[in-house]
Amino acid sequence: MSNRTLKLVCCFAFIVSSVGIVSCAKSPTGRNQLKLYSSSQMIGMGQQAFDTMKTEGKPSAVKTQNAYVSCVAKHITAQVPKSVYSGEWEVVVFEDDQVNAFALPGGKIGVYTGLLKVAKNQHQLAAVIGHEVGHVIADHGNERMSSGTLINVGMQVTNQILQSNQVGHSKEIMSAIGLGVQVGVQLPFSRTHESEADIIGLDLMAKAGFKPEQSVELWKNMEKASEGNRPPELLSTHPSPGTRMEQLQQHMPQANSYYKAAPVKPNCQ
């Protein structure tokens, strides 16, 4: 690679790395964040997306399932700061075999019935819902959209520079840069979000009166359910179950103190 080409690639690397340097806010754990979108924009997008999912998906008609999930979610969302969302949260159970759940800005929570086969009790379900609500509290959606916007701009600028300077093999270089961005920036960024949401969710479930130790049991169940079909952690948007369990255990003493002080111990079973 020529010196000119190397300088151009390094220039792009600086543009991308600025995503993690320039900060307009701090996450609940004290991490610097870049957020380009307003809270009202994020809430509007979250509510619109949820309406679409209800239309295209299949909400469960099983009353016991809905009551159970809503009970757990009610206790979790009661711990959410009003500055994040002050309205009433809407909870929908979707008939779908995928082992997953989600929360969106604007007070929206979705849980798939497949998750209820892996989250064996109310405490494990609380760990998942707490985790998903943790993403909303930390405004991770805004952060991901903002970083994606800057990365796209940086890629376009770099491509224009390569073309205007008639740099040879520009297509190959852009492909390599794209892979480098994914592995070097976007995937670790997502893993950071997942780990952060784990800790926020652990505190939420403990403050709500759910047993925090069950978060570790949940990930043991998740690992069994995956049957080893996971990519290496380096190439995954999520930390490995082992990493997650280790991080949760490190934070467990504080979570247990929250659990002991919780005025209510829910009974949603």
Side-chain angles (χ1 to χ4, degrees):
M1 184 182 293
S2 68
N3 288 336
R4 184 197 300 180
T5 303
L6 181 60
K7 288 179 181 179
L8 291 171
V9 172
C10 290
C11 177
F12 173 74
F14 174 78
I15 294 172
V16 172
S17 66
S18 68
V19 171
I21 297 173
V22 181
S23 176
C24 300
K26 285 189 178 294
S27 75
T29 63
R31 181 178 54 81
N32 289 335
Q33 292 181 297
L34 174 69
K35 297 190 290 187
L36 302 180
Y37 299 90
S38 68
S39 295
S40 60
Q41 286 176 308
M42 294 305 299
I43 288 174
M45 286 186 282
Q47 292 174 340
Q48 184 177 1
F50 199 67
D51 288 341
T52 300
M53 295 188 73
K54 287 190 295 182
T55 300
E56 297 180 351
K58 186 179 180 181
S60 172
V62 180
K63 293 182 179 180
T64 53
Q65 281 183 341
N66 284 283
Y68 170 52
V69 173
S70 294
C71 177
V72 174
K74 176 184 70 175
H75 289 283
I76 293 293
T77 56
Q79 312 304 316
V80 177
K82 298 301 181 184
S83 58
V84 174
Y85 185 70
S86 59
E88 183 177 350
W89 288 71
E90 182 181 3
V91 182
V92 174
V93 179
F94 292 94
E95 289 189 24
D96 194 300
D97 288 336
Q98 64 175 297
V99 182
N100 211 347
F102 63 89
L104 298 172
K108 308 298 181 182
I109 294 174
V111 174
Y112 296 107
T113 52
L115 175 65
L116 302 180
K117 300 175 184 178
V118 178
K120 301 295 186 181
N121 55 50
Q122 63 172 0
H123 310 286
Q124 293 180 16
L125 179 59
V128 178
I129 294 177
H131 169 93
E132 298 302 332
V133 171
H135 281 306
V136 175
I137 292 174
D139 210 6
H140 287 159
N142 192 337
E143 196 175 3
R144 289 178 185 181
M145 288 179 59
S146 299
S147 67
T149 297
L150 289 188
I151 287 171
N152 288 335
V153 170
M155 292 286 284
Q156 292 171 11
V157 169
T158 303
N159 188 46
Q160 290 174 0
I161 293 173
L162 291 173
Q163 295 293 340
S164 64
N165 285 275
Q166 298 182 336
V167 177
H169 308 292
S170 60
K171 290 184 179 179
E172 290 82 355
I173 292 172
M174 288 303 297
S175 296
I177 289 174
L179 179 61
V181 168
Q182 183 182 26
V183 176
V185 178
Q186 292 174 317
L187 294 184
F189 203 41
S190 295
R191 291 196 295 272
T192 297
H193 287 170
E194 293 301 318
S195 295
E196 193 167 56
D198 278 348
I199 300 306
I200 297 172
L202 185 66
D203 287 347
L204 284 176
M205 68 179 293
K207 291 176 180 178
F210 295 102
K211 297 177 181 178
E213 291 93 343
Q214 284 294 311
S215 62
V216 176
E217 296 303 314
L218 167 74
W219 284 107
K220 290 179 181 178
N221 295 346
M222 289 284 195
E223 192 166 29
K224 290 178 183 177
S226 72
E227 298 179 344
N229 296 323
R230 290 182 180 275
E233 186 169 0
L234 175 65
L235 298 177
S236 172
T237 59
H238 291 57
S240 69
T243 297
R244 301 184 92 145
M245 287 187 278
E246 182 180 350
Q247 292 172 342
L248 288 168
Q249 289 286 20
Q250 291 173 354
H251 196 72
M252 201 60 67
Q254 179 173 319
N256 276 323
S257 68
Y258 290 146
Y259 173 70
K260 292 177 181 177
V264 176
K265 302 295 191 289
N267 182 18
C268 297
Q269 299 290 26

